[in-house]
Amino acid sequence: MFIKVTRNEAKEIIDSLTSQKYYETITIDEAEGRVLFEDMKAKFNIPESDKSAVDGYAINIDNLTFPAKLKIIDEAPAGEAQKELKDGAIFIMTGGVVPKGANAVVRIEDVEKEGDYIVIKKPVKKGDLINFEGEEVKTGNVVLKKGEILDYKKVALLANLGHYQIKVFKKVKIGIVVTGSEVKEPFEALDKAGVKNSNLYILKGLLKPYADITYYGKLPDNLDEMVKVFKNAIEENDILISSGGASKGKYDFTKEIAKQIGVDIKFTTTNIRPGRPLIFGNKDKKLFFGLPGYPAALLVNAVEFLIPYVKKAAGIVNYQNEYKKAVLTTKTKAKEGRVDFIRGNIECDEKVTFTPAYTQQTSNYLSIALSNALAVIDENEGTKEAGEIVEYILI
């Protein structure tokens, strides 16, 4: 039984069956790359008090005329409690708390020092070079939102806000199985009938930012053995992914395996090229993706149908692919009734252009490995001429 759906129908089905993971509590020492489970609010004002933006002198400009000569009466290093200024000037370091009674700071380089005095020749305005309390963020402000991915800058921001233990979405657990008696690992000798296992490295590269991955090895075309491994793998993971065996050949067992391990198959093929064969289904809340074996077809299916919903399961808010527009540099063949993913390269000069790769053969992986984008020609468009606009996604 083959169940064909359109590209959009496939995405809607997968989306409807994808649920988010729950949270775990970690420290910010291990937070980089994780996804926030809740909004993060400022615990206190930043700056926590009025602080000096520079190394200089805290003064009160009220009733001063310039040039002004003031006696240095004290100093205010960063990290010390607030001092009080009644007259004269207090030497203050960058980040030092502005003394009570001061209302401006003047730079070291903008004064002339004469013993215990400074001479300020240029006028100074009230508030100059002071970072005021709460100027950056106020207590209770939301500074990072649920669903944001934490990079090193955002982790440092959490530290700055006084957060150490945080709630993040649990990582998605994904199992990968590579099928086919012809598949050889990169370190194995290659006979003329075999192919190297590049699919594993495509999937690991795409999935690593969002998931914990378990590789269950490459399996020969033995149905009984494959069923055992697939059954164990889907029980141990949130998502099971296989490559190969998704079409209609004698040894294409993926659909039969999915049925035997209890997967409710929702569709077996879509209207995209390359990579029509795609077996998708679910077992309770677990998802199964049977991807095609050709690396180029697998990559396109993974980018379009797999990764967005792994991101959704990982808690990321903006999980759908972002398509942009470019100008075609050459005529590009496509067929109405199917969605063509055209491998090629985006260049940005006076305008954004897309140049198709030298071949679009599904069997040719080199051409997609050296491309930086996929142009998408929808099922209602067909062949497009040079100068026309196409949508593309960066890969």
Side-chain angles (χ1 to χ4, degrees):
M1 179 181 67
F2 289 89
I3 308 169
K4 183 176 180 179
V5 294
T6 65
R7 170 203 185 194
N8 289 333
E9 287 171 342
K11 292 168 79 170
E12 288 171 3
I13 291 168
I14 300 169
D15 197 9
S16 70
L17 294 172
T18 304
S19 55
Q20 291 183 335
K21 295 280 288 180
Y22 201 48
Y23 76 86
E24 61 182 341
T25 301
I26 62 171
T27 70
I28 61 172
D29 296 299
E30 50 189 342
E32 189 172 347
R34 303 301 297 271
V35 181
L36 282 174
F37 185 80
E38 59 186 359
D39 292 348
M40 301 304 293
K41 298 180 180 180
K43 291 184 174 182
F44 41 75
N45 290 334
I46 298 180
E48 301 93 322
S49 55
D50 294 351
K51 293 185 176 181
S52 177
V54 296
D55 290 339
Y57 295 90
I59 62 174
N60 188 315
I61 68 163
D62 295 345
N63 304 317
L64 275 188
T65 56
F66 297 95
K69 187 173 182 178
L70 300 170
K71 186 176 182 179
I72 305 168
I73 62 167
D74 202 349
E75 65 177 39
E80 285 199 2
Q82 187 180 40
K83 301 290 181 78
E84 184 172 2
L85 175 70
K86 293 183 178 178
D87 54 37
I90 292 180
F91 175 68
I92 189 167
M93 298 180 187
T94 303
V97 178
V98 175
K100 183 179 179 181
N103 57 18
V105 174
V106 60
R107 301 175 196 272
I108 288 177
E109 52 267 41
D110 292 337
V111 306
E112 291 180 3
K113 197 162 181 292
E114 297 179 358
D116 293 335
Y117 290 82
I118 57 169
V119 177
I120 309 168
K121 292 186 175 180
K122 294 181 180 179
V124 178
K125 296 178 182 177
K126 186 177 288 188
D128 276 359
L129 300 176
I130 295 176
N131 294 329
F132 290 99
E133 180 178 352
E135 184 178 276
E136 185 176 337
V137 62
K138 289 182 170 54
T139 303
N141 284 171
V142 174
V143 290
L144 293 173
K145 292 185 177 181
K146 179 179 180 177
E148 288 195 52
I149 302 174
L150 295 172
D151 60 15
Y152 71 94
K153 301 191 301 299
K154 291 176 181 176
V155 173
L157 176 58
L158 290 173
N160 202 36
L161 294 168
H163 292 283
Y164 185 63
Q165 288 193 324
I166 60 171
K167 290 179 181 179
V168 295
F169 282 93
K170 288 184 176 180
K171 279 196 170 185
V172 184
K173 293 177 66 177
I174 294 182
I176 297 175
V177 181
V178 176
T179 71
S181 297
E182 75 281 11
V183 177
K184 307 290 183 184
E185 299 292 7
F187 49 81
E188 293 181 303
L190 180 67
D191 57 54
K192 291 189 176 181
V195 294
K196 289 297 188 184
N197 184 10
S198 55
N199 285 348
L200 172 64
Y201 299 93
I202 294 170
L203 291 171
K204 285 172 69 174
L206 289 169
L207 294 166
K208 190 175 180 180
Y210 317 110
D212 285 330
I213 301 165
T214 301
Y215 176 44
Y216 289 84
K218 59 182 180 67
L219 304 181
D221 296 317
N222 180 304
L223 182 59
D224 292 339
E225 183 179 339
M226 295 168 84
V227 168
K228 290 178 184 176
V229 175
F230 275 65
K231 185 175 185 296
N232 179 52
I234 201 165
E235 289 174 355
E236 293 180 348
N237 293 280
D238 303 304
I239 299 174
L240 175 59
I241 302 166
S242 69
S243 78
S247 193
K248 304 176 184 178
K250 181 178 179 180
Y251 295 104
D252 289 334
F253 293 140
T254 303
K255 184 160 66 75
E256 177 60 28
I257 294 167
K259 288 167 61 179
Q260 288 197 31
I261 65 173
V263 171
D264 181 8
I265 297 173
K266 300 301 183 183
F267 58 84
T268 62
T269 186
T270 70
N271 66 337
I272 75 164
R273 180 184 182 275
R276 286 176 183 269
L278 171 62
I279 298 167
F280 172 77
N282 69 308
K283 183 178 181 181
D284 300 321
K285 291 187 177 182
K286 298 172 182 287
L287 303 182
F288 174 74
F289 290 83
L291 301 177
Y294 270 137
L298 175 134
L299 190 153
V300 170
N301 271 285
V303 167
E304 180 69 358
F305 297 119
L306 172 63
I307 299 304
Y309 305 104
V310 171
K311 290 164 72 174
K312 179 181 178 181
I316 297 169
V317 173
N318 299 316
Y319 59 89
Q320 293 288 8
N321 289 332
E322 182 181 4
Y323 298 92
K324 299 181 179 180
K325 296 185 185 296
V327 179
L328 265 178
T329 60
T330 61
K331 182 178 180 178
T332 302
K333 291 183 179 180
K335 185 178 179 181
E336 289 189 31
R338 75 181 182 203
V339 182
D340 283 270
F341 285 77
I342 309 296
R343 64 201 78 171
N345 284 285
I346 288 291
E347 294 182 357
C348 301
D349 195 1
E350 293 180 359
K351 56 187 176 182
V352 179
T353 60
F354 178 84
T355 302
Y358 60 92
T359 179
Q360 300 298 321
Q361 285 186 336
T362 304
S363 59
N364 189 306
Y365 180 63
L366 179 65
S367 59
I368 200 170
L370 300 181
S371 296
N372 65 16
L374 294 169
V376 185
I377 301 180
D378 201 34
E379 56 195 295
N380 301 316
E381 294 183 281
T383 296
K384 296 179 82 73
E385 302 292 333
E388 288 194 68
I389 301 296
V390 289
E391 286 193 332
Y392 72 90
I393 181 173
L394 292 172
I395 53 170

